[in-house]
Amino acid sequence: MAESPAWNDQLLTDPHAAADKRSRVQRMFAAIAPSYDLNNRLHSFWRDQAWRRRAVQLAGLKPTDVVVDVACGTGDLTLAMYAALWPQPGDWPPAKNQVIGVDFTYEMLPRGRDKAAARVEGRSSVNGRRLSAADYVTFINGDATALPLPDASADVVSIAFGIRNVQAPEQALAEFRRILRPGGRVIVLEFSEPTNPLIRSINRFYTHRVMPVTATLIARDKSGAYRYLPRSIGTFWSRQKMVDMLTAAGFAQVTQHPMTFGVAVCYRGVVGA
């Protein structure tokens, strides 16, 4: 008997209202994990990596910062944070567990670990074996609303295109605040709807009509993942509500940074002393 889709027309009216959203999102990401990176690149026209680079810049990393990348997926932002901590040959390498990727969909994590292992560093070796990013970056299975990390243990918490997929996003923001030290930064990278009416109309046609068809074909997906994506964006928090929710979670100096005509926005907040 064929497994039913994670999302159907009724649920997609407002996917955030589904009582079992967490398990549906988890099942959906497990289904699309093999083609996740390819679809990200193709359907963002390769802009997804530029958005992550901007997120790294806004994090304002210092060499000793501990970074926790939540909803890390296949590790793109996690490894971009790692690269920013160790930018030049001869620099002191990051410490073990200084960069941590966390995702609640286990099927994503081996892909992140494989990427890290493939990133061989020519700058250091142990017993003749050249080290890779896998020697410094740790990937763990965990939930954004109950992070398996101590209070005040991180300097940066990031989440890219993941906060709207969380069952209780306000609880996740509280967790980010809990594990950050004074002066720590939260970085939330998320899709948005452009404010320009013409660009918004074009973007909606693309994300609601074109992308679900082509991405589903590439992924051979039966979970409804690429029908969920545009609906989860259009029914999620507005930009102002994201700012308000970050402020309510205890973050100060909250700013928003739209990119690519407002298709994506990076939010930044700081923990006060």
Side-chain angles (χ1 to χ4, degrees), residues 233-249:
I233 296 168
T235 55
F236 192 54
W237 297 342
S238 66
R239 296 184 195 178
Q240 186 56 54
K241 184 168 183 181
M242 177 67 79
V243 170
D244 292 344
M245 295 303 285
L246 283 163
T247 303

Side-chain angles (χ1 to χ4, degrees), residues 58-60 155-158 173 176-177 180-189 242-243 245-247 249-257 266-272:
L58 289 168
D155 301 286
V156 172
V157 174
S158 60
L173 295 182
F176 301 168
R177 174 64 182 82
L180 280 167
R181 299 177 178 127
R185 287 84 69 202
V186 64
I187 300 294
V188 179
L189 179 58
M242 177 67 79
V243 170
M245 295 303 285
L246 283 163
T247 303
F251 294 101
Q253 304 173 41
V254 178
T255 55
Q256 53 176 300
H257 305 264
C266 192
Y267 304 86
R268 182 183 192 271
V270 180
V271 177

